[in-house]
Amino acid sequence: MATKIRLARGGVKKRPHYRIVVANATAPRDGDFLEKVGTYNPMLASGDADRVVLKSERIEYWLSTGAKPTERVAKFIEAAGIVLPSSV
């Protein structure tokens, strides 16, 4: 089962809010997911601590099991200081 760490959109029109989730690669963007591992609120200032919130232990676990992050999520993970596997 191929898994991805990606964004799932929430919020209302013109006020997005995203959950960072682990989901099957074939699942729809806002559909079923395995686990919620963080949040991303693009409406907050870039220096705000609550803009990106990650559960680092769970992300490290999913990366160790072979989950592949999307490009945007990979940037968040690297900025949080979590080491990505070399195959990503």
Side-chain angles (χ1 to χ4, degrees), residues 42-70:
M43 301 302 289
L44 296 176
S46 61
D48 196 326
D50 290 334
R51 184 177 170 115
V52 178
V53 178
L54 300 172
K55 296 179 185 175
S56 58
E57 292 176 6
R58 296 305 297 162
I59 290 174
E60 289 171 356
Y61 165 77
W62 282 107
L63 290 172
S64 70
T65 61
K68 305 283 185 199
T70 59

Side-chain angles (χ1 to χ4, degrees), residues 15-80:
R15 296 196 50 86
H17 185 271
Y18 297 91
R19 293 177 307 217
I20 301 171
V21 299
V22 179
N24 291 331
T26 58
R29 178 193 72 184
D30 297 333
D32 192 28
F33 59 89
L34 301 172
E35 182 178 358
K36 178 182 165 188
V37 293
T39 59
Y40 167 54
N41 188 351
M43 301 302 289
L44 296 176
S46 61
D48 196 326
D50 290 334
R51 184 177 170 115
V52 178
V53 178
L54 300 172
K55 296 179 185 175
S56 58
E57 292 176 6
R58 296 305 297 162
I59 290 174
E60 289 171 356
Y61 165 77
W62 282 107
L63 290 172
S64 70
T65 61
K68 305 283 185 199
T70 59
E71 288 182 33
R72 173 61 64 186
V73 174
K75 288 180 184 181
F76 295 151
I77 291 171
E78 289 174 350

